[in-house]
Amino acid sequence: KKKYEELGLEIIRVDYIHGIVDTAAAALSSTGLVVVSLTHNKGYEALFTVLLSLFVFHSALQVLSDTFKTVTGKNTAPEIRARLFERLVKELGNAELLNVDARKVGSFYVVFVQIAVNSGITVEEAFKIRRRVADLIREECDLVYHVDISIVPKRKRYRRKR
């Protein structure tokens, strides 16, 4: 319930606003269709065309804004990243957590995780770790749309002799 209160309201708000905008656009286009077909007035036709174009412009502006945030790296979600990092460090055990990155895409999140494991583990064990990490991330944040997990072998650190 706490997770839903923290994160669920955002998606409800976004969907609610999207629904209102879509309903308003549909009502406006229906009204315009009826008014123009009854009056055959070119002025009304131009007016409704401009008003509907504003809805299209609004949607295009949102898409461009999301794209700009993605390209510039402004769509990061540090609070989600910190929560996931903390949870994974507690739960992973033998595996070493190298990196966690969370990015907001629309109203959802995409998470990238990089984990180092002993080079002697089997593919089956690696898949079990991957499944566990994906499940932990989805438990921690309901709005995660995609989880990309990279599993790499642990590297031994050698000191160069002088």
Side-chain angles (χ1 to χ4, degrees):
K1 184 176 179 180
K2 183 179 177 185
K3 288 182 204 174
Y4 177 76
E5 289 172 1
E6 288 175 8
L7 299 173
L9 292 178
E10 178 184 356
I11 192 164
I12 290 172
R13 182 184 62 82
V14 169
D15 286 344
Y16 177 72
I17 291 170
H18 183 77
I20 288 174
V21 170
D22 283 354
T23 302
L28 184 66
S29 64
S30 299
T31 303
L33 195 66
V34 170
V35 169
V36 170
S37 67
L38 291 176
T39 63
H40 301 290
N41 186 326
K42 297 291 182 187
Y44 287 146
E45 185 176 350
L47 174 67
F48 285 109
T49 301
V50 168
L51 290 175
L52 288 172
S53 296
L54 290 175
F55 284 105
V56 172
F57 179 72
H58 175 264
S59 295
L61 196 59
Q62 283 184 328
V63 169
L64 288 174
S65 172
D66 284 346
T67 303
F68 180 75
K69 287 177 183 177
T70 300
V71 169
T72 59
K74 301 282 184 193
N75 64 342
T76 59
E79 66 285 346
I80 301 290
R81 180 196 178 281
R83 280 190 6 220
L84 294 175
F85 192 89
E86 189 176 305
R87 175 83 187 266
L88 291 173
V89 165
K90 283 184 206 174
E91 303 278 342
L92 276 179
N94 258 0
E96 178 184 342
L97 185 61
L98 299 177
N99 186 27
V100 175
D101 189 24
R103 298 201 175 265
K104 189 170 185 178
V105 178
S107 15
F108 297 100
Y109 296 94
V110 174
V111 177
F112 170 75
V113 179
Q114 189 174 29
I115 301 168
V117 295
N118 292 329
S119 59
I121 72 166
T122 65
V123 173
E124 183 179 355
E125 289 171 321
F127 274 111
K128 284 180 183 178
I129 292 170
R130 183 192 174 288
R131 172 55 55 203
R132 174 112 172 96
V133 168
D135 290 345
L136 286 170
I137 288 171
R138 290 210 168 87
E139 283 175 18
E140 192 65 33
C141 182
D142 295 332
L143 295 177
V144 171
Y145 173 74
H146 177 74
V147 180
D148 188 15
I149 302 169
S150 173
I151 299 178
V152 298
K154 281 185 185 176
R155 295 177 63 178
K156 293 181 182 178
R157 302 188 197 259
Y158 298 101
R159 288 187 77 173
R160 185 184 290 179
K161 292 183 181 180
R162 294 182 186 202

